[in-house]
Amino acid sequence: AREAWRRHAATRAALPPGGPEPDDAEPARRGAERDRICLVPPRRPTWIGDRVEAADRRVLTAYGLDLGAAWPRLWLLVPEETRAELRTARRSYDAAAQLVAWSPLYLALAAWWWPALLIAATTLAVGIRRGRAAMDAFCALAESVVDLHARDLATALGLPCEGPLRRRTGRQMTALLRKDL
């Protein structure tokens, strides 16, 4: 994806001013492929773990804010409608996890009834797919909460925050919230 964007930038730089813009479909497609795998380089054993890690790392990189330390305070500041959206996404993930948990039980039943093997495999596959989608939605909402309400948190903590949240302010918030820095 990076190489595709580099080639795109080189092509754009080589064009005469005021000329046609180069097509950005290829770099956009490569970026979407990369994001489908994970938004940051994978470090966890599962896709879902990587997605949660990605939300945390992206917030830390963009704002200097430790999402784990800030989240309980953000939760208290966001409107009820936002909390309801987050709860819905979390319930979707919980339902998918329950579906995955049923698959070994169906697998055990397969010792006596072979169609249960198909049910176990289907239940597992559907649960994993739904779990990934639900966690992706939850993490996107969590990042959105930070994007939209982190300034409110800074203000509530007594930190000046004019304009967009800056990394310096995020780092100050992290120090206040973690209390161990």
Side-chain angles (χ1 to χ4, degrees), residues 104-161:
L105 300 174
Y106 289 125
L107 186 61
L109 183 61
W112 295 278
W113 187 56
W114 73 265
L117 183 61
L118 300 173
I119 294 169
T122 303
T123 302
L124 180 65
V126 169
I128 289 171
R129 175 170 264 185
R130 287 182 184 173
R132 288 176 89 178
M135 188 51 68
D136 188 46
F138 182 82
C139 288
L141 286 170
E143 286 186 54
S144 298
V145 165
V146 174
D147 293 340
L148 299 174
H149 297 283
R151 288 183 57 226
D152 299 336
L153 180 58
T155 302
L157 292 170
L159 298 172
C161 188

XYZ file of all heavy atoms in Angstrom, residues 104-161:
432
model
N -18.081 -26.269 20.176
C -17.514 -27.504 20.736
C -18.590 -28.463 21.270
O -18.415 -29.682 21.244
C -16.611 -27.038 21.873
C -16.435 -25.588 21.695
C -17.560 -25.090 20.855
N -19.690 -27.894 21.732
C -20.769 -28.757 22.221
C -21.395 -29.538 21.067
O -21.692 -30.735 21.211
C -21.813 -27.910 22.951
C -21.278 -27.139 24.167
C -22.341 -26.216 24.721
C -20.765 -28.093 25.223
N -21.588 -28.866 19.951
C -22.083 -29.569 18.765
C -21.058 -30.599 18.280
O -21.431 -31.676 17.830
C -22.409 -28.598 17.637
C -23.644 -27.762 17.892
C -23.581 -26.375 17.844
C -24.865 -28.360 18.165
C -24.708 -25.607 18.067
C -25.998 -27.596 18.391
C -25.912 -26.223 18.350
O -27.030 -25.468 18.562
N -19.804 -30.255 18.398
C -18.748 -31.179 17.993
C -18.777 -32.447 18.846
O -18.619 -33.557 18.337
C -17.380 -30.497 18.081
C -16.193 -31.291 17.566
C -16.373 -31.618 16.084
C -14.912 -30.504 17.783
N -19.005 -32.301 20.124
C -19.101 -33.471 21.007
C -20.286 -34.349 20.620
O -20.203 -35.581 20.644
C -19.216 -33.019 22.454
N -21.368 -33.727 20.246
C -22.556 -34.459 19.811
C -22.294 -35.248 18.527
O -22.932 -36.276 18.276
C -23.715 -33.476 19.610
C -25.066 -34.048 19.221
C -25.571 -35.001 20.289
C -26.059 -32.916 18.988
N -21.324 -34.812 17.740
C -21.008 -35.475 16.467
C -20.522 -36.912 16.663
O -20.590 -37.711 15.727
C -19.970 -34.668 15.692
N -20.083 -37.265 17.852
C -19.672 -38.651 18.107
C -20.855 -39.612 17.978
O -20.671 -40.779 17.654
C -19.054 -38.755 19.498
N -22.055 -39.118 18.222
C -23.252 -39.954 18.123
C -24.109 -39.640 16.908
O -24.912 -40.473 16.480
C -24.113 -39.781 19.378
C -23.435 -40.274 20.600
C -23.363 -41.550 21.026
C -22.695 -39.490 21.518
N -22.628 -41.628 22.171
C -22.199 -40.360 22.505
C -22.378 -38.136 21.631
C -21.438 -39.938 23.574
C -21.633 -37.714 22.690
C -21.159 -38.614 23.642
N -23.966 -38.432 16.399
C -24.821 -37.999 15.292
C -23.975 -37.172 14.334
O -23.656 -36.019 14.607
C -25.990 -37.194 15.860
C -27.039 -36.817 14.889
C -27.769 -37.638 14.079
C -27.527 -35.484 14.652
N -28.674 -36.916 13.350
C -28.546 -35.585 13.682
C -27.203 -34.226 15.165
C -29.235 -34.476 13.212
C -27.902 -33.137 14.695
C -28.912 -33.262 13.727
N -23.586 -37.726 13.204
C -22.616 -37.084 12.320
C -23.038 -35.711 11.785
O -22.177 -34.857 11.576
C -22.225 -38.011 11.168
C -23.292 -38.189 10.128
C -24.209 -39.182 10.059
C -23.535 -37.330 9.014
N -25.031 -39.013 8.986
C -24.629 -37.863 8.313
C -22.952 -36.158 8.540
C -25.149 -37.284 7.169
C -23.475 -35.571 7.402
C -24.559 -36.137 6.730
N -24.340 -35.413 11.549
C -24.671 -34.059 11.073
C -24.266 -32.949 12.055
O -24.111 -31.797 11.665
C -26.189 -34.099 10.883
C -26.493 -35.542 10.625
C -25.526 -36.289 11.500
N -24.081 -33.304 13.320
C -23.648 -32.300 14.293
C -22.268 -31.752 13.945
O -21.933 -30.623 14.315
C -23.646 -32.893 15.694
N -21.467 -32.515 13.218
C -20.163 -32.029 12.777
C -20.331 -30.826 11.842
O -19.614 -29.826 11.966
C -19.402 -33.150 12.071
C -17.982 -32.833 11.605
C -17.113 -32.467 12.793
C -17.406 -34.017 10.863
N -21.287 -30.910 10.929
C -21.569 -29.789 10.025
C -22.110 -28.587 10.798
O -21.749 -27.438 10.514
C -22.557 -30.219 8.941
C -22.109 -31.370 8.047
C -23.245 -31.791 7.138
C -20.885 -30.975 7.264
N -22.959 -28.873 11.766
C -23.515 -27.793 12.588
C -22.392 -27.112 13.377
O -22.341 -25.878 13.467
C -24.610 -28.337 13.525
C -25.805 -28.834 12.698
C -25.054 -27.273 14.522
C -26.824 -29.619 13.489
N -21.486 -27.902 13.937
C -20.362 -27.337 14.707
C -19.488 -26.453 13.829
O -19.117 -25.338 14.223
C -19.535 -28.461 15.323
N -19.170 -26.934 12.636
C -18.313 -26.148 11.732
C -19.008 -24.857 11.300
O -18.394 -23.785 11.276
C -17.943 -26.984 10.508
N -20.282 -24.953 10.980
C -21.036 -23.768 10.556
C -21.170 -22.772 11.696
O -20.986 -21.563 11.510
C -22.428 -24.181 10.033
O -22.257 -25.114 8.966
C -23.225 -22.979 9.574
N -21.484 -23.277 12.872
C -21.625 -22.408 14.042
C -20.319 -21.672 14.330
O -20.324 -20.467 14.595
C -22.054 -23.242 15.271
O -23.277 -23.902 14.970
C -22.249 -22.381 16.489
N -19.217 -22.390 14.249
C -17.914 -21.773 14.484
C -17.609 -20.708 13.434
O -17.212 -19.583 13.768
C -16.823 -22.840 14.495
C -15.398 -22.343 14.732
C -15.265 -21.748 16.126
C -14.407 -23.480 14.541
N -17.807 -21.043 12.174
C -17.493 -20.096 11.090
C -18.366 -18.842 11.171
O -17.859 -17.712 11.046
C -17.658 -20.776 9.735
N -19.657 -19.025 11.398
C -20.563 -17.878 11.486
C -20.221 -17.029 12.716
O -20.200 -15.795 12.650
C -22.034 -18.343 11.506
C -22.974 -17.205 11.865
C -22.414 -18.942 10.154
N -19.933 -17.681 13.834
C -19.591 -16.938 15.047
C -18.328 -16.115 14.886
O -18.266 -14.962 15.321
N -17.324 -16.695 14.250
C -16.079 -15.952 14.023
C -16.317 -14.763 13.102
O -15.857 -13.647 13.378
C -14.983 -16.884 13.475
C -14.520 -17.842 14.567
C -13.810 -16.082 12.922
C -13.598 -18.941 14.083
N -17.048 -14.989 12.029
C -17.319 -13.892 11.087
C -18.107 -12.768 11.760
O -17.772 -11.591 11.619
C -18.064 -14.423 9.871
C -18.465 -13.312 8.928
C -18.960 -13.848 7.666
N -17.803 -13.811 6.778
C -17.845 -14.129 5.518
N -18.953 -14.555 4.982
N -16.777 -14.029 4.777
N -19.135 -13.138 12.496
C -19.932 -12.119 13.189
C -19.116 -11.424 14.280
O -19.261 -10.219 14.490
C -21.175 -12.754 13.798
C -22.218 -13.124 12.783
C -23.436 -13.693 13.451
N -24.408 -14.136 12.473
C -25.508 -14.796 12.776
N -25.787 -15.083 14.040
N -26.332 -15.158 11.828
N -18.281 -12.185 14.974
C -17.448 -11.598 16.019
C -16.474 -10.571 15.467
O -16.281 -9.502 16.054
N -15.873 -10.900 14.332
C -14.944 -9.944 13.711
C -15.671 -8.668 13.308
O -15.181 -7.555 13.559
C -14.279 -10.570 12.492
C -13.266 -11.631 12.849
C -12.692 -12.292 11.635
N -11.526 -11.541 11.206
C -10.754 -11.869 10.183
N -11.035 -12.940 9.457
N -9.713 -11.145 9.861
N -16.832 -8.827 12.689
C -17.597 -7.645 12.258
C -18.037 -6.814 13.460
O -17.958 -5.574 13.434
C -18.805 -8.078 11.428
N -18.493 -7.480 14.507
C -18.961 -6.755 15.692
C -17.814 -6.033 16.389
O -17.962 -4.876 16.809
C -19.638 -7.727 16.653
N -16.652 -6.688 16.514
C -15.524 -6.030 17.174
C -14.983 -4.891 16.324
O -14.559 -3.864 16.853
C -14.416 -7.037 17.497
C -13.316 -6.446 18.355
S -13.877 -5.588 19.857
C -14.498 -6.928 20.822
N -15.007 -5.047 15.008
C -14.588 -3.960 14.137
C -15.495 -2.751 14.339
O -15.020 -1.620 14.457
C -14.596 -4.419 12.682
C -13.991 -3.394 11.758
O -12.910 -2.846 12.073
O -14.606 -3.120 10.696
N -16.807 -2.994 14.413
C -17.756 -1.898 14.638
C -17.534 -1.265 16.004
O -17.529 -0.032 16.133
C -19.190 -2.413 14.507
N -17.333 -2.084 17.029
C -17.114 -1.557 18.372
C -15.859 -0.692 18.421
O -15.872 0.401 18.988
C -17.018 -2.694 19.391
C -16.830 -2.201 20.788
C -17.920 -1.790 21.536
C -15.570 -2.115 21.360
C -17.759 -1.312 22.829
C -15.390 -1.641 22.638
C -16.489 -1.236 23.380
N -14.777 -1.173 17.838
C -13.520 -0.417 17.863
C -13.627 0.876 17.066
O -13.077 1.907 17.475
C -12.375 -1.287 17.359
S -11.918 -2.576 18.535
N -14.328 0.833 15.938
C -14.536 2.065 15.162
C -15.334 3.073 15.984
O -15.024 4.278 15.985
C -15.240 1.747 13.851
N -16.339 2.597 16.707
C -17.112 3.499 17.575
C -16.252 4.039 18.713
O -16.338 5.227 19.053
C -18.323 2.763 18.145
C -19.474 2.504 17.182
C -20.489 1.559 17.810
C -20.137 3.806 16.776
N -15.410 3.197 19.295
C -14.542 3.647 20.382
C -13.585 4.734 19.898
O -13.384 5.751 20.577
C -13.768 2.463 20.965
N -12.996 4.528 18.722
C -12.120 5.565 18.168
C -12.906 6.842 17.888
O -12.405 7.951 18.102
C -11.451 5.069 16.892
C -10.351 4.068 17.124
C -9.621 3.715 15.848
O -9.137 4.649 15.169
O -9.525 2.519 15.540
N -14.135 6.698 17.432
C -14.972 7.865 17.165
C -15.287 8.623 18.442
O -15.329 9.855 18.448
C -16.273 7.439 16.478
O -16.002 6.845 15.241
N -15.520 7.900 19.526
C -15.755 8.547 20.819
C -14.554 9.407 21.192
O -14.704 10.550 21.629
C -16.071 7.502 21.922
C -15.947 8.109 23.305
C -17.450 6.911 21.713
N -13.362 8.869 21.001
C -12.158 9.650 21.298
C -12.076 10.860 20.374
O -11.826 11.980 20.836
C -10.886 8.773 21.176
C -9.635 9.622 21.332
C -10.903 7.662 22.205
N -12.299 10.648 19.082
C -12.224 11.753 18.123
C -13.178 12.888 18.494
O -12.835 14.063 18.379
C -12.562 11.269 16.710
C -11.536 10.311 16.152
O -10.390 10.289 16.644
O -11.892 9.568 15.209
N -14.381 12.529 18.940
C -15.415 13.533 19.178
C -15.470 14.064 20.607
O -15.982 15.166 20.821
C -16.788 12.953 18.804
C -16.945 12.533 17.348
C -18.275 11.838 17.139
C -16.791 13.720 16.426
N -14.968 13.304 21.596
C -15.163 13.694 22.989
C -13.889 13.816 23.813
O -13.969 14.149 25.005
C -16.114 12.702 23.670
C -17.482 12.695 23.060
N -18.415 13.677 23.295
C -18.049 11.826 22.190
C -19.505 13.408 22.606
N -19.317 12.295 21.925
N -12.731 13.564 23.247
C -11.495 13.665 24.030
C -11.240 15.105 24.480
O -10.700 15.322 25.567
C -10.307 13.126 23.240
N -11.644 16.068 23.672
C -11.484 17.473 24.091
C -12.330 17.760 25.319
O -11.920 18.500 26.218
C -11.868 18.415 22.956
C -10.853 18.416 21.832
C -11.194 19.396 20.722
N -11.320 20.735 21.258
C -12.338 21.561 20.956
N -13.273 21.198 20.127
N -12.376 22.757 21.476
N -13.547 17.184 25.366
C -14.392 17.350 26.555
C -13.706 16.775 27.785
O -13.785 17.343 28.870
C -15.744 16.654 26.350
C -16.529 17.216 25.180
O -16.293 18.380 24.806
O -17.378 16.479 24.644
N -13.035 15.647 27.615
C -12.311 15.035 28.725
C -11.163 15.935 29.171
O -10.949 16.125 30.374
C -11.800 13.649 28.333
C -11.021 12.891 29.399
C -11.866 12.694 30.663
C -10.543 11.555 28.847
N -10.441 16.478 28.215
C -9.340 17.385 28.570
C -9.866 18.571 29.376
O -9.286 18.938 30.410
C -8.623 17.865 27.307
N -10.958 19.142 28.932
C -11.565 20.271 29.639
C -12.013 19.853 31.036
O -11.789 20.576 32.009
C -12.755 20.827 28.830
O -12.281 21.214 27.538
C -13.390 22.015 29.515
N -12.640 18.674 31.145
C -13.092 18.184 32.451
C -11.919 17.956 33.393
O -12.063 18.099 34.614
C -13.896 16.899 32.278
N -10.762 17.624 32.846
C -9.568 17.415 33.663
C -8.838 18.717 33.966
O -7.813 18.719 34.648
C -8.612 16.446 32.958
C -9.100 15.010 32.848
C -8.183 14.214 31.928
C -9.202 14.366 34.219
N -9.346 19.826 33.445
C -8.734 21.124 33.709
C -7.580 21.470 32.800
O -6.791 22.368 33.102
N -7.472 20.781 31.673
C -6.408 21.063 30.720
C -6.940 21.966 29.614
O -8.032 21.720 29.097
C -5.866 19.767 30.109
C -5.223 18.794 31.090
C -4.908 17.482 30.385
C -3.975 19.398 31.683
N -6.173 22.989 29.232
C -6.635 23.839 28.132
C -6.604 23.056 26.818
O -5.659 22.322 26.543
C -5.624 24.990 28.113
C -4.414 24.452 28.784
C -4.875 23.391 29.744
N -7.658 23.209 26.042
C -7.722 22.481 24.776
C -8.486 23.320 23.761
O -9.699 23.213 23.636
C -8.382 21.113 24.968
S -8.288 20.079 23.513
